Amino acid sequence: MQTLTNNRFTVGKGIKLIDDAGVEYLDGVSGTFNLSLGYNHPHVVHKIQEQVGNLTHMSSSFTEPYVNEVLDHLIEYAPNDIDAGWMRDITGSTANECATKIAQKYTGSTDIVSLYLSHHGQTQFATGISGNAFRRKRFPNSSAANAVHVPAPYCYRCPFKSKSSECGYQCVEAISDAIDYASSGSVACMIIEPILGNGGNIMPPLGYFQRIRKLCDENNMLLIADEVQTGIGRTGTMFASELFDIRPDMITLAKGLGGIGVPVAAVLMQSRLNVLEKHEHSFTSGSNLISVTAAKSTLEVVSEPGFLDAVKRKGILLESLLQELAQKYPIIGEARGVGLMWGLEIVGDQNEPDTPKTNAIIDRAFTDQHLILRSSRYGFGNVVKVRPALTTTEEELVEIVDRLDSVLASVH
Ligand SMILES: Cc1ncc(COP(=O)(O)O)c(C=O)c1O
């Protein structure tokens, strides 16, 4: 079998991966943005080991007391009167399915509005509601998701050619048109990532989410914030919904909730939306005790006094370092992000997307600098993502950007 690299990584320590030859690699993207606390956070490791020693699994009929502890903790931070939850999934894809099923059952409507460039998962359904057609190729059932795709608020390459100073939120207007002309007339919800992660770290303009909320209210649609990437402190607040004042009816979570990469997911909702019967959405491993323990102990760490403030401070440092790089290298068309969630849009002389250079940056970072980065495959595939673990130290942030600087100098 072919492998992606010749390295065989055997140890994960903090934000480092170490291979069997003892060579250390700095992970600038926390796995696939799911290692919110790095590879081996001692508190989470200890709690999981303890749990494994006692009881690793029992039927979800019996796990409720454990699950409720996690949900109560999450709800403490949740915006917009969200006060209930569902934890019978282990992946973000099916958590999003869960939320959209809830929306369909609650509203009695069918369609789901989602953005171009969005990523909501890779089951056929989640692929169907995601805004990237290339993943649907050859999988006809993904078209059965009743999705209505609408333009993304991609200001750097505005689909309506607006300049930010004169933005008339035409991308929001276009959603109204799509509801009128492209939907079945029966729309249950809109699902939206606060920052389009895989789409290229796309940050909507100020005022966008308030307009989306209004549009949902006017059309009796529920608003689902897919916080699989942005949740659990990634942007410096527990939920990005709080940071951007999104006021969603539901929030979906996965990735960072597992702290050190343990698969776990959750759907948070206002209790009026708690309409699913258990048999309508449950998986054998959903709410298993290892996942629930990982979530509980991760939340204990993230809610320690000062933890999120430190993420905010580190985010400001990362921002200034990346903006310096953007000043230095014209191939960075834009550095955009917040907290520890950043993307660098790589461009050519005419600001056109430069995908080969983007790929060269990722490859050279790995081979020459032992720095792990990821690029966005969506859109033009020309965004370098920088999203280290929330536990990354300031020195490590400087080290990540120094190594990236050397790579940019070599491809420039
Ligand atoms: C925003 C978002 N939603 C959902 C998913 C799907 O999560 P999972 O891979 O756990 O199914 C992802 C995964 O990349 C994601 O980034």
Side-chain angles (χ1 to χ4, degrees):
M1 291 273 277
Q2 245 193 331
T3 53
L4 208 58
T5 78
N6 292 325
N7 306 72
R8 184 184 178 87
F9 291 108
T10 47
V11 176
K13 205 167 163 192
I15 70 158
K16 289 186 189 132
L17 264 183
I18 304 163
D19 71 13
D20 54 4
V23 182
E24 295 188 349
Y25 287 70
L26 210 51
D27 188 346
V29 282
S30 50
T32 51
F33 331 120
N34 56 330
L35 300 159
S36 51
L37 301 181
Y39 282 93
N40 67 337
H41 193 284
H43 179 66
V44 183
V45 169
H46 170 70
K47 289 291 175 184
I48 291 174
Q49 280 172 339
E50 197 176 60
Q51 188 61 51
V52 169
N54 292 333
L55 185 61
T56 56
H57 183 83
M58 55 185 166
S59 141
S60 55
S61 318
F62 304 124
T63 53
E64 260 174 25
Y66 296 84
V67 167
N68 287 343
E69 279 175 355
V70 174
L71 290 177
D72 287 345
H73 202 150
L74 286 168
I75 285 163
E76 267 178 48
Y77 288 85
N80 206 27
D81 299 327
I82 285 178
D83 58 354
W86 189 271
M87 248 183 117
R88 289 166 170 264
D89 296 275
I90 54 167
T91 69
S93 305
T94 66
N96 283 332
E97 288 207 30
C98 179
T100 50
K101 279 158 89 174
I102 289 171
Q104 289 171 327
K105 187 168 178 189
Y106 180 80
T107 61
S109 300
T110 51
D111 295 4
I112 298 154
V113 175
S114 71
L115 297 178
Y116 296 167
L117 293 166
S118 62
H119 179 73
H120 300 296
Q122 290 205 47
T123 59
Q124 288 226 37
F125 178 86
T127 304
I129 60 170
S130 296
N132 255 284
F134 80 90
R135 287 204 201 269
R136 292 199 286 278
K137 202 171 164 186
R138 305 199 199 293
F139 305 114
N141 289 346
S142 57
S143 306
N146 290 75
V148 179
H149 295 110
V150 296
Y154 187 5
C155 299
Y156 186 72
R157 297 186 191 280
C158 173
F160 301 96
K161 310 280 179 261
S162 278
K163 302 266 176 294
S164 57
S165 55
E166 63 197 39
C167 169
Y169 298 96
Q170 280 152 288
C171 52
V172 181
E173 294 295 313
I175 303 174
S176 292
D177 287 348
I179 291 169
D180 288 344
Y181 303 116
S183 80
S184 69
S186 163
V187 184
C189 62
M190 177 161 185
I191 182 163
I192 194 161
E193 293 165 82
I195 299 173
L196 285 115
N198 287 11
N201 226 74
I202 292 170
M203 307 260 296
L206 274 178
Y208 177 81
F209 287 114
Q210 290 64 43
R211 285 169 172 77
I212 292 292
R213 178 70 262 179
K214 188 161 170 278
L215 180 115
C216 286
D217 290 341
E218 286 167 358
N219 289 280
N220 296 319
M221 292 154 51
L222 296 173
L223 180 57
I224 302 166
D226 175 347
E227 294 231 29
V228 166
Q229 284 200 27
T230 55
I232 318 300
R234 173 60 55 194
T235 63
T237 46
M238 186 64 89
F239 303 114
S241 292
E242 180 192 335
L243 183 68
F244 298 129
D245 187 26
I246 298 181
R247 284 175 278 135
D249 300 295
M250 284 182 263
I251 293 176
T252 57
L253 297 166
K255 288 198 188 276
L257 184 58
I260 57 169
V262 178
V264 58
V267 180
L268 306 179
M269 67 194 91
Q270 296 162 347
S271 43
R272 69 185 168 119
L273 302 175
N274 211 347
V275 292
L276 287 187
E277 303 292 335
K278 300 222 172 5
H279 65 263
E280 289 177 312
H281 191 87
S282 288
F283 298 90
T284 305
S285 304
S287 81
N288 84 82
L289 288 179
I290 301 173
S291 299
V292 175
T293 303
K296 180 168 187 264
S297 50
T298 297
L299 289 170
E300 283 161 1
V301 174
V302 175
S303 57
E304 268 167 20
F307 185 93
L308 287 171
D309 286 338
V311 174
K312 280 191 198 119
R313 271 200 313 278
K314 290 186 277 192
I316 291 167
L317 172 66
L318 183 60
E319 172 170 14
S320 71
L321 296 170
L322 292 176
Q323 295 298 2
E324 265 175 46
L325 287 190
Q327 291 297 316
K328 189 167 168 189
Y329 297 105
I331 60 167
I332 301 178
E334 184 174 63
R336 52 179 176 251
V338 65
L340 293 176
M341 184 163 182
W342 282 83
L344 307 177
E345 174 134 4
I346 305 300
V347 298
D349 294 344
Q350 308 297 318
N351 261 17
E352 74 283 8
D354 194 333
T355 312
K357 216 163 250 174
T358 310
N359 295 336
I361 292 168
I362 306 295
D363 290 348
R364 287 194 198 178
F366 188 79
T367 51
D368 301 353
Q369 294 294 328
H370 295 176
L371 171 65
I372 301 170
L373 295 174
R374 292 177 74 85
S375 70
S376 147
R377 278 204 63 203
Y378 285 23
F380 306 104
N382 70 320
V383 175
V384 172
K385 297 185 265 192
V386 184
R387 298 182 195 155
L390 310 183
T391 46
T392 307
T393 63
E394 296 193 355
E395 293 71 33
E396 285 168 331
L397 287 178
V398 171
E399 181 65 33
I400 289 170
V401 179
D402 274 354
R403 293 191 197 188
L404 179 55
D405 192 351
S406 304
V407 175
L408 288 165
S410 80
V411 296
H412 190 51

